[in-house]
Amino acid sequence: MIKEGIQASSGIAIAQAVVYVKQELTAEKKSIDDVQGECGRFSQAVEKSKQQLATLKEKTASEMSEEEAAIFDAHSMFLEDPEFVGAIEQSIKNDHINAEAATQAAVDQFYAMFQAMDDPYFKGRAADIQDVGNRLLRNLMGIEIMDISHLDHDVILVAKDLAPSDTATMDKVHVKGFATDVGSRTSHTAIMARSLEIPAVLGLEDITETTKNGEILIVDGITGSVIVDPTEEELKAYQQKKEKYDAYMAELAKLRDQEAVTTDGHKVKVVANIGNPKDVDGVVRNGGKGIGLYRSEFLYMNSDEMPDENKQFAAYKTVIEQFKDGDGVIIRTLDIGGDKKLPYLPLEDEMNPFLGLRAIRLCLSKPDLFKTQLRAILRASAFGKTRIMFPMIGNVDEVRQAKAILKTCMQELDAEGVDYDHQIEVGIMVEIPSAAITADIISDEVAFFSIGTNDLCQYTLAVDRMNQNVSYLYDPLHPAILRLVQNVIVQSHKKAGKFTGMCGEMAGDPVATLILLGLGLDEFSMSASSIPQVKKIIRSVSYKQAQEIANKAMTMSTGKEIRQYVQDTLNQLGIEVM
Ligand code: PEP
Ligand code: MG
């Protein structure tokens, strides 16, 4: 039986299924006389839960990253929260009910409250309170959860969804793939699967019901399908597909230390996008020699309070030092607003947050917040090649204002005698059509452009990048996008020493590589795992060929036509992409 889901992490896994269904916890309501004793039992469950969370945090921090481990701090915080814990104790005392029922009632109440919020951050807390509540209930009831931390054979983990505590504790040697009922490409499980390089297909709706424990499962993370109980022929075909994929990846791995250079010697940079310092491991493993986009907002989003200058400095410095002999690091200043919120920075609700007080607009309206970050970046620049990039620039005034604030920070550091790179380069992200169209004007103020196609597409094509209903219109190969990209590159090259990079998802899309190369893009920045494939394509053609391909694509009328043309060209050139 073949089931189609969401392709979340590439590769093929074939193994026995472990259906990881967590026991339903039903908190039966009982009246109690010994209020004191019941409160004591509840306190013990809280303590035990805290200890478990501390262990989980430690394991995650050492096996993954501090950022990933932070989720357990968020869970622990609920156990310290007087409103949550107090509500349970109060209902034990006042209503004379057992701790299980009191806990369930408080969890339900908090869950409903978070669920009702519009803000995606607080909505997300609903899942956390449920996770914490289940832990408390299990500890009160003495129920052990199925142990996936020590497995004796390879498995595909089949689950409704996987909580952070599941991925943290699971046996990372024997879990070969994920197949889940719910999830999206940006869900926690998807992010984890990609960072662990485990093939994953999510959103299969009822995979937990259609799969039995021990049944053989094939997870095809290349196409986003899962085969339950495959036939002999299917098994054979997928074993071959897996071997081919593994061989393809092994072949690509050989390019690790090769340059991204065309057959006639035109060199470009192929670098990586990261969200936190731990991502650097994957970049190095995939042969990335620099960072073209450090999404600094993750540092803010993974924190319970505004990260101070020293905390930011430490994070930036860690990354910068690792690439000081390579292509350096481009740090994007805080890109918050739109769909990204900070719990400790209340912002006014807006009708159209993506067109609202976002990114540089927000930073310019809060100079103190902005200065803290700029000072931290400047201080870190003393430790290796660093560039600063402002997001969501719409006009040259914003660049000038941001640079003026940067200058103030430099003067402050000079007065304090603090070292930094006085020649630090400043660039902007081109995400708004007005910036792309006026690249000739803006180029006087910046050292480089980096095209953020994720937003540039949504603003140019008037297509919400997160709206499924209009996703068919979201096309980075739309002639309008290609023309904007071309204009930015051409304008930057008119000024000596200036360059254009791209850090939107398009930069890592193999179908776009030849066109972007031919248009003269200088730097391709992408998720680490895409680096080898893009490098391979670049190394397979001459710059002249790429220019011809780009020129031809620029004459075409639709994205569909262009896509077909590039795919045919890749086939003709014998360049295999997976
Ligand atoms: C972009 O918009 O292309 C981009 C890289 O920024 P983000 O995806 O973080 O908005
Ligand atoms: Mg963007």
Side-chain angles (χ1 to χ4, degrees):
M1 181 189 14
I2 300 189
K3 295 182 71 68
E4 302 295 335
I6 295 162
Q7 185 272 329
S9 177
S10 198
I12 297 199
I14 307 173
Q16 280 183 351
V18 161
V19 184
Y20 181 56
V21 185
K22 292 174 213 163
Q23 194 175 335
E24 276 298 319
L25 298 165
T26 29
E28 226 176 286
K29 192 166 171 181
K30 291 182 193 149
S31 57
I32 44 122
D33 297 324
D34 181 7
V35 167
Q36 221 44 39
E38 198 63 7
C39 283
R41 211 164 67 77
F42 174 64
S43 299
Q44 278 175 4
V46 170
E47 279 318 307
K48 188 165 179 191
S49 302
K50 280 188 195 164
Q51 281 163 14
Q52 290 168 342
L53 288 167
T55 312
L56 280 173
K57 186 187 165 189
E58 214 172 292
K59 188 168 155 71
T60 311
S62 70
E63 289 179 3
M64 291 188 208
S65 73
E66 290 289 343
E67 279 70 22
E68 256 117 13
I71 183 75
F72 301 111
D73 278 336
H75 285 194
S76 294
M77 265 165 49
F78 281 120
L79 298 174
E80 307 276 356
D81 181 357
E83 274 193 48
F84 176 63
V85 175
I88 299 171
E89 283 166 346
Q90 280 308 312
S91 86
I92 296 173
K93 283 180 195 155
N94 299 345
D95 308 335
H96 286 245
I97 57 168
N98 56 331
E100 286 86 341
T103 301
Q104 188 65 63
V107 170
D108 290 348
Q109 188 198 336
F110 275 70
Y111 181 84
M113 184 182 81
F114 285 127
Q115 266 293 328
M117 293 184 179
D118 287 333
D119 185 322
Y121 174 83
F122 287 110
K123 243 192 181 24
R125 302 281 70 75
D128 291 338
I129 193 80
Q130 212 165 35
D131 215 5
V132 173
N134 285 342
R135 178 174 302 284
L136 272 173
L137 285 176
R138 279 196 306 271
N139 286 331
L140 281 165
M141 296 173 182
I143 294 174
E144 298 291 332
I145 46 170
M146 183 175 169
D147 185 12
I148 49 167
S149 64
H150 296 95
L151 300 161
D152 55 10
H153 62 286
D154 290 351
V155 306
I156 305 284
L157 210 51
V158 177
K160 188 168 184 295
D161 192 13
L162 292 165
S165 48
D166 300 325
T167 41
T169 42
M170 74 178 192
D171 178 338
K172 293 178 190 64
V173 174
H174 288 110
V175 173
K176 296 292 177 196
F178 294 159
T180 67
D181 290 343
V182 299
S184 69
R185 262 194 75 78
T186 51
S187 64
H188 168 82
T189 313
I191 293 167
M192 277 302 182
R194 285 198 292 273
S195 93
L196 295 166
E197 296 181 23
I198 290 178
V201 178
L202 313 182
L204 290 150
E205 293 178 358
D206 57 358
I207 191 77
T208 49
E209 282 155 36
T210 44
T211 311
K212 292 189 209 71
N213 253 326
E215 225 166 10
I216 296 289
L217 225 60
I218 300 173
V219 173
D220 183 345
I222 304 169
T223 59
S225 50
V226 167
I227 295 151
V228 184
D229 191 19
T231 61
E232 276 302 316
E233 290 92 88
E234 283 170 333
L235 208 50
K236 216 165 134 199
Y238 273 92
Q239 254 144 4
Q240 278 169 1
K241 189 170 175 183
K242 179 172 161 45
E243 276 163 29
K244 199 168 160 206
Y245 180 82
D246 292 346
Y248 175 75
M249 293 311 283
E251 200 51 43
L252 285 185
K254 292 188 195 151
L255 298 177
R256 200 176 164 275
D257 297 314
Q258 307 267 8
E259 285 186 309
V261 58
T262 58
T263 52
D264 51 355
H266 176 76
K267 276 186 204 164
V268 293
K269 283 183 189 158
V270 177
V271 290
N273 296 350
I274 60 165
N276 69 62
K278 254 284 153 73
D279 295 341
V280 167
D281 294 347
V283 178
V284 173
R285 204 171 45 243
N286 283 288
K289 302 281 185 285
I291 303 299
L293 168 64
Y294 180 171
R295 288 184 162 99
S296 66
E297 61 274 11
F298 281 89
L299 190 66
Y300 291 72
M301 291 195 293
N302 290 330
S303 183
D304 295 322
E305 56 187 8
M306 197 62 84
D308 65 15
E309 186 181 313
N310 282 339
K311 186 170 176 191
Q312 294 193 47
F313 163 71
Y316 305 148
K317 177 171 170 273
T318 310
V319 176
I320 289 163
E321 281 182 328
Q322 306 208 47
F323 294 102
K324 69 171 186 295
D325 300 323
D327 294 329
V329 177
I330 300 181
I331 301 179
R332 167 170 85 183
T333 58
L334 186 60
D335 182 8
I336 220 75
D339 62 329
K340 296 176 198 151
K341 300 263 165 72
L342 299 177
Y344 46 82
L345 184 72
L347 296 172
E348 216 180 281
D349 276 344
E350 295 175 310
M351 288 274 276
N352 292 301
F354 273 106
L355 303 180
L357 195 62
R358 219 195 126 178
I360 195 69
R361 302 170 181 180
L362 180 74
C363 286
L364 292 176
S365 77
K366 297 191 182 300
D368 288 344
L369 181 156
F370 196 29
K371 278 177 69 183
T372 304
Q373 177 170 44
L374 294 175
R375 283 178 55 102
I377 300 175
L378 284 171
R379 282 172 54 198
S381 73
F383 296 86
K385 181 74 186 167
T386 309
R387 294 182 175 91
I388 296 181
M389 171 158 84
F390 301 127
M392 286 284 296
I393 292 290
N395 60 61
V396 73
D397 279 335
E398 287 170 335
V399 188
R400 291 182 182 138
Q401 283 174 51
K403 281 171 66 182
I405 297 178
L406 180 68
K407 194 165 168 200
T408 315
C409 295
M410 289 175 159
Q411 286 162 344
E412 279 177 16
L413 292 176
D414 285 337
E416 292 162 27
V418 177
D419 195 18
Y420 66 93
D421 176 6
H422 287 73
Q423 260 64 56
I424 193 163
E425 288 178 347
V426 174
I428 64 152
M429 287 195 71
V430 178
E431 300 174 279
I432 303 181
S434 58
I437 295 165
T438 57
D440 57 328
I441 301 171
I442 299 176
S443 66
D444 286 333
E445 295 286 345
V446 297
F448 66 94
F449 293 116
S450 182
I451 307 176
T453 48
N454 305 344
D455 277 313
L456 187 63
C457 283
Q458 82 163 343
Y459 295 131
T460 307
L461 307 175
V463 178
D464 177 347
R465 65 192 257 193
M466 298 191 298
N467 183 342
Q468 270 308 110
N469 300 334
V470 286
S471 60
Y472 71 100
L473 291 170
Y474 188 94
D475 184 6
L477 293 179
H478 189 297
I481 304 297
L482 295 184
R483 288 176 196 199
L484 291 178
V485 169
Q486 184 179 41
N487 185 54
V488 177
I489 297 172
V490 167
Q491 296 306 333
S492 71
H493 289 176
K494 282 187 182 163
K495 312 269 162 67
K498 305 205 173 181
F499 70 93
T500 296
M502 180 181 285
C503 58
E505 290 301 308
M506 185 184 190
D509 180 353
V511 177
T513 309
L514 290 175
I515 299 179
L516 297 174
L517 179 68
L519 290 177
L521 190 74
D522 303 290
E523 182 181 279
F524 296 63
S525 191
M526 61 200 70
S527 44
S529 55
S530 301
I531 291 177
Q533 182 150 279
V534 168
K535 239 195 223 179
K536 175 184 149 155
I537 298 172
I538 292 167
R539 293 177 58 84
S540 307
V541 290
S542 67
Y543 188 39
K544 192 160 169 285
Q545 270 174 312
Q547 282 174 317
E548 282 162 10
I549 294 164
N551 286 343
K552 175 116 188 248
M554 295 306 284
T555 64
M556 295 181 172
S557 320
T558 68
K560 197 171 163 207
E561 216 180 312
I562 296 169
R563 191 169 299 272
Q564 190 58 54
Y565 166 62
V566 177
Q567 252 145 10
D568 292 345
T569 308
L570 286 168
N571 288 342
Q572 271 166 23
L573 294 170
I575 305 173
E576 193 182 20
V577 291
M578 274 185 131

